[in-house]
Amino acid sequence: MDFALSDDQVAYQKDVRAFFEREAPAEVLAELDDSETFPHEIYAKMAAFGMTGATISAEHGGKPIDQVSLCLMAEEIARVGNNLCGAMIPTIMFGTSAIQEFGTEEQRAQILPEVASGRARIAMCLSEPGVGADLGGIESNAVRTGGDWVINGQKFYVTGAAEARYLFVLARTEPGKGARGLSALLVPTDTPGVSMQRIKKSMSRAVPIYQIDFQDVRVPLAAVIGEEGKGHRIIYGLIDGERIILGAKGVGVGQAALDIALAYSLERKQFGQPILDFQAVSQMIGDMAIEIEVARTMTHKAAWLRGEGAPHSHEAAIAKVFGSEVGTKCVARGMRVLAGRSLFSDYGLERLNRESRIYEFGGGTNEVLRELIVRSLRAGVA
Ligand SMILES: Cc1cc2nc3c(=O)[nH]c(=O)nc-3n(C[C@H](O)[C@H](O)[C@H](O)COP(=O)(O)OP(=O)(O)OC[C@H]3O[C@@H](n4cnc5c(N)ncnc54)[C@H](O)[C@@H]3O)c2cc1C
């Protein structure tokens, strides 16, 4: 058993961290968040670094990295803020991964180089006003009409939709079949009949979420990704990877909270001593460090299994639940350490608090994932 990162992984992590320290300082991210401005400039630099091509083959302009390195990258991005995650992760973990793994050669040749270079993003349209955890309830539909698909329906909570060039839409193509009657379609955002409405200020303000209405939206039959009626296979194929990344993002946000709390507790004095010298405070810092380390180890294990092609759904669910909750718990503890100043935006915790909540319910809510974990135990497969 070898727990060590390879030399390449260590070097990659160092480069990514240095990149964010240089290109995405906390003050710049706070300013983008306050002014609700999409991080276009930083995104372009992330693309030039190769991050947007992390799940794209070199043949199609990407810079593919292994599963553990993907975790390292996600941790570093989340450490500086979820706005940058929201800008990129749906594109690389769903959009391009779906096209890379399930798309036609034509789709790969057209879309992947655009995304790798940072010229295009792909927003993910799964949720609907009435559909969250249960994708089998999707009502948006696509009907074959005169050699095209015609899409009607409504999607909700779509991160960065207006800033994307394409929408990855899960729509019903076979009525009455639950999750098995869905197809994945790629819809350019400027297609007639697509209209978007920004949902009011939410957690990551620089990358807003949108409601999207599809009214008689026509796309060619070739817009389907993978097999018609088998959209659920794409989601099942990609969701474990997304869950591992969510666990890694929880680790990143937890690490950010620990860094802030430790620095503050060394500097802040009460009763004539640094507050870190009070046992109650040092216990909180110690607990943060312990949980972050355990969550990090679990996400790396799940990522390693995925990279080896071994079964990993159970481990991905554990990594996601534990990592996301470590993130939010560490932010909460960090806020206790900073007390009054935790609410000031210049210390960063107030933003991390808003941003990290999504990790607990995105990619499958933690309640649903706990059910899945127990199901594996009952079936004797874990
Ligand atoms: C900031 C933000 C960004 C988002 N970005 C996107 C995006 O880009 N694209 C997209 O498609 N969606 C996106 N979402 C939606 C997100 O994926 C959903 O919020 C998530 O799937 C949960 O759905 P819901 O909020 O409707 O909760 P619901 O599904 O209504 O769940 C409500 C509660 O019921 C529980 N519950 C439901 N079913 C079960 C069950 N079987 N067992 C146990 N408990 C259960 C849940 O755990 C939860 O506690 C985003 C949401 C937010 C807030």
Side-chain angles (χ1 to χ4, degrees), residues 11-88:
Y12 185 75
Q13 183 179 35
K14 221 170 125 195
D15 288 351
V16 175
R17 186 171 299 171
F19 170 89
F20 284 114
E21 279 167 6
R22 192 174 61 245
E23 307 294 351
E27 329 66 90
V28 173
L29 290 176
E31 169 53 29
L32 291 169
D33 189 68
D34 266 356
S35 60
E36 300 183 30
T37 308
F38 191 87
H40 287 290
E41 250 178 64
I42 302 175
Y43 192 89
K45 289 178 180 166
M46 287 161 74
F49 184 98
M51 290 182 216
T52 53
T55 54
I56 296 176
S57 64
E59 185 193 347
H60 295 104
K63 270 199 185 170
I65 54 176
D66 64 86
Q67 296 293 323
V68 173
S69 297
L70 266 177
C71 266
L72 299 172
M73 177 177 77
E75 182 182 331
E76 294 304 323
I77 303 180
R79 197 168 168 182
V80 291
N82 191 58
N83 276 310
L84 296 179
C85 294
M88 191 183 81

Side-chain angles (χ1 to χ4, degrees), residues 246-257:
L246 277 157
K249 290 199 279 184
V251 172
V253 100
Q255 184 68 52

